[in-house]
Amino acid sequence: MNVNPPGNCIPTNFVKLEPHTNYNSSKTSSAIAKEGLRFIENIHDAIVREEELLGRIDAVAGDGDHGRGMVKGIQAALQSARETVDHGGGIGTLLVLAGKQFAAKAGGTSGVLWGAAIEHAGQALDDARDDYSKEDFLNAVNA
């Protein structure tokens, strides 16, 4: 499965992982992916908790649907992250696929922007590596 589409990071539908998907991820990258999953779970919980507030803030100058969109996006990203970890994917794959799903499901400009940011962070992290430095993760954040 190619998780790095050429030039376009906006998906048209949910990428469903098949049980036979074989990722070429190092043990280190797979272990870090499990930590990434926990991070996404925490973000999910915070966004769900603050959905109404995000909508009220958006309603000041918009249509008030930002909270709902963010919940849809993070739910799709979380599902994707869980499937990636279940199939042995590494941190790069986890973030790329979670970003694609966030963009596909969140809707609106903010969904695409957050999804692209998550996806680009994942593209900066190679799943085959046996070690990562602080700089590797800083580069991912800055991607």
Side-chain angles (χ1 to χ4, degrees):
M1 166 184 242
N2 180 7
V3 295
N4 298 316
N8 184 0
C9 64
I10 302 171
T12 56
N13 58 15
F14 190 86
V15 176
K16 190 68 177 163
L17 300 177
E18 299 298 326
H20 63 276
T21 299
N22 183 19
Y23 293 108
N24 191 19
S25 303
S26 71
K27 288 181 182 180
T28 301
S29 186
S30 293
I32 294 171
K34 291 176 184 174
E35 294 300 318
L37 172 58
R38 282 193 273 276
F39 183 72
I40 291 173
E41 288 170 339
N42 288 334
I43 293 169
H44 169 272
D45 294 348
I47 290 174
V48 167
R49 183 177 57 249
E50 301 300 337
E51 177 182 359
E52 183 182 334
L53 175 62
L54 292 168
R56 284 197 321 260
I57 292 167
D58 182 41
V60 171
D63 56 11
D65 68 345
H66 183 68
R68 186 71 221 135
M70 292 295 284
V71 167
K72 289 170 143 180
I74 198 63
Q75 287 173 334
L78 179 57
Q79 178 182 345
S80 175
R82 286 179 175 152
E83 290 180 13
T84 301
V85 166
D86 288 347
H87 295 296
I91 187 62
T93 299
L94 180 138
L95 292 171
V96 167
L97 294 177
K100 287 177 182 286
Q101 300 319 319
F102 194 102
K105 297 298 181 183
T109 303
S110 61
V112 172
L113 292 173
W114 278 109
I118 297 165
E119 183 178 352
H120 284 266
Q123 289 172 347
L125 297 169
D126 181 358
D127 282 352
R129 293 186 58 182
D130 289 322
D131 61 2
Y132 297 87
S133 68
K134 292 177 192 176
E135 289 76 25
D136 293 325
F137 292 100
L138 290 173
N139 290 336
V141 170
N142 289 320

mmCIF file of all heavy atoms in Angstrom, residues 44 46-52 54 65-77 102 105-106:
data_model
loop_
_atom_site.group_PDB
_atom_site.id
_atom_site.type_symbol
_atom_site.label_atom_id
_atom_site.label_comp_id
_atom_site.label_asym_id
_atom_site.label_seq_id
_atom_site.Cartn_x
_atom_site.Cartn_y
_atom_site.Cartn_z
ATOM 1 N N HIS A 44 -8.517 12.790 20.916
ATOM 2 C CA HIS A 44 -9.911 12.435 20.668
ATOM 3 C C HIS A 44 -10.778 12.803 21.879
ATOM 4 O O HIS A 44 -11.816 13.456 21.747
ATOM 5 C CB HIS A 44 -10.027 10.940 20.367
ATOM 6 C CG HIS A 44 -11.428 10.433 20.353
ATOM 7 N ND1 HIS A 44 -12.062 9.987 21.494
ATOM 8 C CD2 HIS A 44 -12.326 10.323 19.350
ATOM 9 C CE1 HIS A 44 -13.292 9.618 21.186
ATOM 10 N NE2 HIS A 44 -13.482 9.817 19.894
ATOM 11 N N ALA A 46 -10.245 14.919 24.268
ATOM 12 C CA ALA A 46 -10.326 16.374 24.474
ATOM 13 C C ALA A 46 -11.270 17.023 23.465
ATOM 14 O O ALA A 46 -12.074 17.895 23.825
ATOM 15 C CB ALA A 46 -8.938 16.994 24.372
ATOM 16 N N ILE A 47 -11.194 16.622 22.208
ATOM 17 C CA ILE A 47 -12.054 17.220 21.183
ATOM 18 C C ILE A 47 -13.511 16.855 21.431
ATOM 19 O O ILE A 47 -14.402 17.714 21.333
ATOM 20 C CB ILE A 47 -11.595 16.812 19.769
ATOM 21 C CG1 ILE A 47 -10.266 17.507 19.440
ATOM 22 C CG2 ILE A 47 -12.656 17.156 18.724
ATOM 23 C CD1 ILE A 47 -9.631 17.069 18.126
ATOM 24 N N VAL A 48 -13.767 15.602 21.766
ATOM 25 C CA VAL A 48 -15.147 15.191 22.053
ATOM 26 C C VAL A 48 -15.680 15.988 23.246
ATOM 27 O O VAL A 48 -16.806 16.484 23.229
ATOM 28 C CB VAL A 48 -15.221 13.666 22.293
ATOM 29 C CG1 VAL A 48 -16.559 13.260 22.891
ATOM 30 C CG2 VAL A 48 -14.963 12.918 20.991
ATOM 31 N N ARG A 49 -14.862 16.126 24.278
ATOM 32 C CA ARG A 49 -15.264 16.874 25.477
ATOM 33 C C ARG A 49 -15.578 18.333 25.157
ATOM 34 O O ARG A 49 -16.489 18.921 25.732
ATOM 35 C CB ARG A 49 -14.155 16.773 26.533
ATOM 36 C CG ARG A 49 -14.468 17.427 27.846
ATOM 37 C CD ARG A 49 -13.361 17.227 28.884
ATOM 38 N NE ARG A 49 -12.070 17.716 28.424
ATOM 39 C CZ ARG A 49 -11.023 16.936 28.131
ATOM 40 N NH1 ARG A 49 -11.098 15.626 28.251
ATOM 41 N NH2 ARG A 49 -9.884 17.464 27.725
ATOM 42 N N GLU A 50 -14.853 18.932 24.226
ATOM 43 C CA GLU A 50 -15.002 20.362 23.917
ATOM 44 C C GLU A 50 -15.769 20.640 22.625
ATOM 45 O O GLU A 50 -15.773 21.762 22.134
ATOM 46 C CB GLU A 50 -13.621 21.018 23.843
ATOM 47 C CG GLU A 50 -12.816 20.902 25.122
ATOM 48 C CD GLU A 50 -13.482 21.537 26.335
ATOM 49 O OE1 GLU A 50 -14.338 22.430 26.180
ATOM 50 O OE2 GLU A 50 -13.124 21.143 27.466
ATOM 51 N N GLU A 51 -16.465 19.633 22.107
ATOM 52 C CA GLU A 51 -17.197 19.808 20.844
ATOM 53 C C GLU A 51 -18.139 21.008 20.889
ATOM 54 O O GLU A 51 -18.156 21.842 19.968
ATOM 55 C CB GLU A 51 -17.994 18.545 20.506
ATOM 56 C CG GLU A 51 -18.837 18.692 19.254
ATOM 57 C CD GLU A 51 -19.667 17.458 18.936
ATOM 58 O OE1 GLU A 51 -19.600 16.453 19.669
ATOM 59 O OE2 GLU A 51 -20.397 17.513 17.934
ATOM 60 N N GLU A 52 -18.928 21.122 21.914
ATOM 61 C CA GLU A 52 -19.892 22.220 22.004
ATOM 62 C C GLU A 52 -19.185 23.580 22.040
ATOM 63 O O GLU A 52 -19.598 24.523 21.351
ATOM 64 C CB GLU A 52 -20.774 22.048 23.240
ATOM 65 C CG GLU A 52 -21.845 23.119 23.333
ATOM 66 C CD GLU A 52 -22.683 22.969 24.597
ATOM 67 O OE1 GLU A 52 -22.802 21.851 25.141
ATOM 68 O OE2 GLU A 52 -23.217 24.004 25.034
ATOM 69 N N LEU A 54 -16.224 24.358 20.839
ATOM 70 C CA LEU A 54 -15.671 24.638 19.505
ATOM 71 C C LEU A 54 -16.768 25.143 18.560
ATOM 72 O O LEU A 54 -16.538 26.046 17.764
ATOM 73 C CB LEU A 54 -14.999 23.385 18.931
ATOM 74 C CG LEU A 54 -13.726 22.939 19.637
ATOM 75 C CD1 LEU A 54 -13.326 21.537 19.182
ATOM 76 C CD2 LEU A 54 -12.608 23.928 19.390
ATOM 77 N N ASP A 65 -20.300 24.779 13.000
ATOM 78 C CA ASP A 65 -20.138 23.334 12.848
ATOM 79 C C ASP A 65 -18.708 22.837 13.095
ATOM 80 O O ASP A 65 -18.410 21.665 12.891
ATOM 81 C CB ASP A 65 -20.601 22.885 11.472
ATOM 82 C CG ASP A 65 -19.700 23.377 10.346
ATOM 83 O OD1 ASP A 65 -18.888 24.293 10.566
ATOM 84 O OD2 ASP A 65 -19.820 22.841 9.229
ATOM 85 N N HIS A 66 -17.823 23.704 13.538
ATOM 86 C CA HIS A 66 -16.423 23.320 13.696
ATOM 87 C C HIS A 66 -16.243 22.179 14.698
ATOM 88 O O HIS A 66 -15.486 21.232 14.434
ATOM 89 C CB HIS A 66 -15.576 24.524 14.122
ATOM 90 C CG HIS A 66 -14.127 24.230 14.223
ATOM 91 N ND1 HIS A 66 -13.341 23.949 13.124
ATOM 92 C CD2 HIS A 66 -13.310 24.135 15.306
ATOM 93 C CE1 HIS A 66 -12.103 23.705 13.526
ATOM 94 N NE2 HIS A 66 -12.056 23.818 14.835
ATOM 95 N N GLY A 67 -16.926 22.221 15.812
ATOM 96 C CA GLY A 67 -16.807 21.155 16.801
ATOM 97 C C GLY A 67 -17.224 19.810 16.243
ATOM 98 O O GLY A 67 -16.541 18.802 16.421
ATOM 99 N N ARG A 68 -18.354 19.801 15.540
ATOM 100 C CA ARG A 68 -18.843 18.540 14.948
ATOM 101 C C ARG A 68 -17.849 18.016 13.921
ATOM 102 O O ARG A 68 -17.546 16.819 13.878
ATOM 103 C CB ARG A 68 -20.210 18.777 14.287
ATOM 104 C CG ARG A 68 -20.852 17.531 13.773
ATOM 105 C CD ARG A 68 -21.338 16.641 14.936
ATOM 106 N NE ARG A 68 -21.032 15.267 14.619
ATOM 107 C CZ ARG A 68 -20.498 14.375 15.449
ATOM 108 N NH1 ARG A 68 -20.236 14.682 16.673
ATOM 109 N NH2 ARG A 68 -20.245 13.168 15.066
ATOM 110 N N GLY A 69 -17.318 18.899 13.099
ATOM 111 C CA GLY A 69 -16.341 18.484 12.092
ATOM 112 C C GLY A 69 -15.078 17.918 12.711
ATOM 113 O O GLY A 69 -14.540 16.900 12.249
ATOM 114 N N MET A 70 -14.590 18.557 13.770
ATOM 115 C CA MET A 70 -13.382 18.075 14.435
ATOM 116 C C MET A 70 -13.622 16.705 15.071
ATOM 117 O O MET A 70 -12.740 15.850 15.040
ATOM 118 C CB MET A 70 -12.922 19.087 15.481
ATOM 119 C CG MET A 70 -12.415 20.400 14.898
ATOM 120 S SD MET A 70 -10.920 20.220 13.915
ATOM 121 C CE MET A 70 -9.713 20.028 15.215
ATOM 122 N N VAL A 71 -14.792 16.494 15.633
ATOM 123 C CA VAL A 71 -15.115 15.188 16.213
ATOM 124 C C VAL A 71 -15.126 14.125 15.116
ATOM 125 O O VAL A 71 -14.543 13.041 15.283
ATOM 126 C CB VAL A 71 -16.454 15.223 16.985
ATOM 127 C CG1 VAL A 71 -16.939 13.813 17.309
ATOM 128 C CG2 VAL A 71 -16.302 16.034 18.260
ATOM 129 N N LYS A 72 -15.762 14.407 14.001
ATOM 130 C CA LYS A 72 -15.786 13.437 12.897
ATOM 131 C C LYS A 72 -14.373 13.114 12.422
ATOM 132 O O LYS A 72 -14.034 11.957 12.167
ATOM 133 C CB LYS A 72 -16.603 13.981 11.727
ATOM 134 C CG LYS A 72 -18.079 14.033 11.964
ATOM 135 C CD LYS A 72 -18.710 14.805 10.826
ATOM 136 C CE LYS A 72 -20.018 14.285 10.404
ATOM 137 N NZ LYS A 72 -20.586 15.076 9.287
ATOM 138 N N GLY A 73 -13.548 14.145 12.302
ATOM 139 C CA GLY A 73 -12.182 13.946 11.844
ATOM 140 C C GLY A 73 -11.361 13.117 12.809
ATOM 141 O O GLY A 73 -10.666 12.172 12.398
ATOM 142 N N ILE A 74 -11.421 13.428 14.093
ATOM 143 C CA ILE A 74 -10.598 12.704 15.063
ATOM 144 C C ILE A 74 -11.110 11.285 15.262
ATOM 145 O O ILE A 74 -10.318 10.366 15.520
ATOM 146 C CB ILE A 74 -10.455 13.475 16.403
ATOM 147 C CG1 ILE A 74 -9.270 12.935 17.218
ATOM 148 C CG2 ILE A 74 -11.738 13.441 17.209
ATOM 149 C CD1 ILE A 74 -7.924 13.102 16.583
ATOM 150 N N GLN A 75 -12.407 11.066 15.113
ATOM 151 C CA GLN A 75 -12.924 9.696 15.194
ATOM 152 C C GLN A 75 -12.372 8.846 14.052
ATOM 153 O O GLN A 75 -11.964 7.698 14.263
ATOM 154 C CB GLN A 75 -14.452 9.688 15.184
ATOM 155 C CG GLN A 75 -15.048 10.170 16.480
ATOM 156 C CD GLN A 75 -16.555 10.329 16.430
ATOM 157 O OE1 GLN A 75 -17.151 10.545 15.381
ATOM 158 N NE2 GLN A 75 -17.179 10.250 17.599
ATOM 159 N N ALA A 76 -12.341 9.403 12.844
ATOM 160 C CA ALA A 76 -11.793 8.671 11.696
ATOM 161 C C ALA A 76 -10.293 8.452 11.855
ATOM 162 O O ALA A 76 -9.775 7.372 11.548
ATOM 163 C CB ALA A 76 -12.093 9.428 10.403
ATOM 164 N N ALA A 77 -9.586 9.466 12.346
ATOM 165 C CA ALA A 77 -8.143 9.340 12.563
ATOM 166 C C ALA A 77 -7.855 8.262 13.615
ATOM 167 O O ALA A 77 -6.924 7.465 13.460
ATOM 168 C CB ALA A 77 -7.551 10.680 12.993
ATOM 169 N N PHE A 102 -8.550 12.018 8.776
ATOM 170 C CA PHE A 102 -9.016 13.257 9.390
ATOM 171 C C PHE A 102 -9.507 14.204 8.304
ATOM 172 O O PHE A 102 -10.605 14.758 8.394
ATOM 173 C CB PHE A 102 -7.895 13.907 10.210
ATOM 174 C CG PHE A 102 -8.390 14.987 11.123
ATOM 175 C CD1 PHE A 102 -8.541 14.740 12.463
ATOM 176 C CD2 PHE A 102 -8.726 16.250 10.639
ATOM 177 C CE1 PHE A 102 -9.025 15.737 13.324
ATOM 178 C CE2 PHE A 102 -9.194 17.242 11.477
ATOM 179 C CZ PHE A 102 -9.351 16.976 12.828
ATOM 180 N N LYS A 105 -12.864 13.096 6.633
ATOM 181 C CA LYS A 105 -14.089 13.065 7.429
ATOM 182 C C LYS A 105 -14.418 14.365 8.154
ATOM 183 O O LYS A 105 -15.571 14.617 8.462
ATOM 184 C CB LYS A 105 -14.013 11.929 8.452
ATOM 185 C CG LYS A 105 -13.916 10.553 7.826
ATOM 186 C CD LYS A 105 -15.138 10.246 6.986
ATOM 187 C CE LYS A 105 -15.024 8.853 6.395
ATOM 188 N NZ LYS A 105 -16.146 8.533 5.531
ATOM 189 N N ALA A 106 -13.428 15.199 8.451
ATOM 190 C CA ALA A 106 -13.697 16.410 9.233
ATOM 191 C C ALA A 106 -14.472 17.443 8.436
ATOM 192 O O ALA A 106 -15.296 18.160 8.980
ATOM 193 C CB ALA A 106 -12.391 17.015 9.753
#
